[in-house]
Amino acid sequence: MALVSMNELLPKAKAGKYAVGQFNMNNLEFAQAITQAGMELNAPFIFGVSEGALKYMGIEYTVALAEASAKKSGLPIALHLDHGSSFDVAMKCIRAGFSSVMFDGSHHSYEDNIRLTKEIVKAAHAMGVSVEGELGTIGGTEDDISVAEENANLAKPEEAIRFYEETGVDALAIAVGTAHGMYAGVPKIHYDIIEQVARAIPISLVLHGGSGVPDQMLIDAIKAGVTKINVNTENQVAGTQAIRDVLNKDAKVYDPRKYLTPARNAMVEVVKSKIILFGTSNKS
Ligand code: 13P
């Protein structure tokens, strides 16, 4: 099966009141682990690729891995640029074969964010590619981008509604209290903002920073109206811990397959647990 746009996945999730997982792909083992989990549970999913991951893997390898996953699994899979920073990066990804892009204009003024997002929506939609926008700023660290908690701004419902109406995005990430990376304490999710926006606009709301959020809070976020949840750090932590365990146990290991196989297996378990939690099993 060819890669699909998020519009093949998210409207069904909104109607069915479940959430599709965006699992970030950082290398071959991530692609394999996420795909295996999806296949075991017959679940659609979204590969998220940040600009940092894109630089690390190279755009050709990235698209080839995602296409191989879609072909091998037969599942509907979207390949989505995560936190794209410019029109040029978004177009480069679309030309290379991405089926979806995010433009994160949250560091611009509200009006500039609308203007820049609109340009990307126009170009992407002409090529059948879906677009996610962002409003408010999500705290924490992803790649080289760090937003201090005190600078993380919650999205305002009336601004989110107007943002959708003016830009025509297919999905909208709204800052509601989660952050990228693991949490020192428990995040405070503003379910009221999710509810208000989800009721007012027909597109999907996206919860970034899914790692380390207690299960019940994710379930409550889906109940409030979130239909896409992004997870990256939890896979990184589980995979790296498995590698550390192997190397700590035996200092003589040198064959990467000896530590990457347990890392991959650990990530399969993380992704499966999220798919089950999000209600995406058997939704392919
Ligand atoms: P985490 O790394 O906190 O899971 O966040 C992932 C994310 O939101 C990617 O955009």
Side-chain angles (χ1 to χ4, degrees), residues 5-189:
S5 113
M6 294 203 303
N7 289 331
E8 300 285 320
L9 312 176
L10 297 181
K12 286 181 200 152
K14 181 134 179 150
K17 296 188 182 351
Y18 61 90
V20 179
Q22 172 190 306
F23 301 103
N24 284 54
M25 185 217 284
N26 295 293
N27 65 14
L28 167 68
E29 282 72 22
F30 275 73
Q32 291 174 318
I34 296 161
T35 306
Q36 189 180 325
M39 286 170 73
E40 283 183 32
L41 296 171
N42 196 20
F45 62 84
I46 297 158
F47 277 129
V49 180
S50 67
E51 288 187 14
L54 205 53
K55 224 182 281 167
Y56 174 76
M57 291 187 283
I59 201 162
E60 298 86 356
Y61 286 105
T62 304
V63 174
L65 286 174
E67 285 177 345
S69 295
K71 188 172 169 204
K72 178 181 165 70
S73 67
L75 294 169
I77 299 171
L79 175 61
H80 179 67
L81 170 66
D82 192 22
H83 294 282
S85 62
S86 67
F87 183 88
D88 289 354
V89 175
M91 293 309 118
K92 197 173 156 203
C93 286
I94 294 171
R95 271 199 304 272
F98 277 56
S99 59
S100 188
V101 292
M102 174 183 189
F103 174 65
D104 178 356
S106 63
H107 306 290
H108 295 274
S109 69
Y110 178 66
E111 296 303 333
D112 280 352
N113 189 358
I114 289 182
R115 182 176 54 78
L116 295 165
T117 304
K118 228 165 142 172
E119 285 171 10
I120 291 177
V121 168
K122 194 170 171 216
H125 280 182
M127 291 176 276
V129 167
S130 50
V131 180
E132 174 179 335
E134 178 171 324
L135 258 197
T137 38
I138 295 161
T141 301
E142 194 184 42
D143 283 346
D144 306 328
I145 304 160
S146 286
V147 178
E149 288 305 317
E150 62 272 22
N151 294 331
N153 294 316
L154 295 177
K156 296 184 184 69
E158 59 289 354
E159 285 191 358
I161 295 162
R162 199 187 126 213
F163 185 89
Y164 157 69
E165 287 169 352
E166 299 222 2
T167 61
V169 285
D170 307 288
L172 182 58
I174 50 173
V176 291
T178 53
H180 294 122
M182 296 305 255
Y183 299 87
V186 176
K188 177 170 172 22
I189 297 184

Side-chain angles (χ1 to χ4, degrees), residues 259-274:
Y259 53 83
L260 290 177
T261 302
R264 192 170 60 192
N265 292 341
M267 292 192 285
V268 171
E269 293 313 312
V270 171
V271 177
K272 277 169 68 179
S273 71
K274 299 299 178 198

Side-chain angles (χ1 to χ4, degrees), residues 22 24 82-83 142 179-181 208-211 230-234:
Q22 172 190 306
N24 284 54
D82 192 22
H83 294 282
E142 194 184 42
H180 294 122
H208 280 244
S211 293
N230 294 3
V231 177
N232 184 18
T233 308
E234 239 178 276

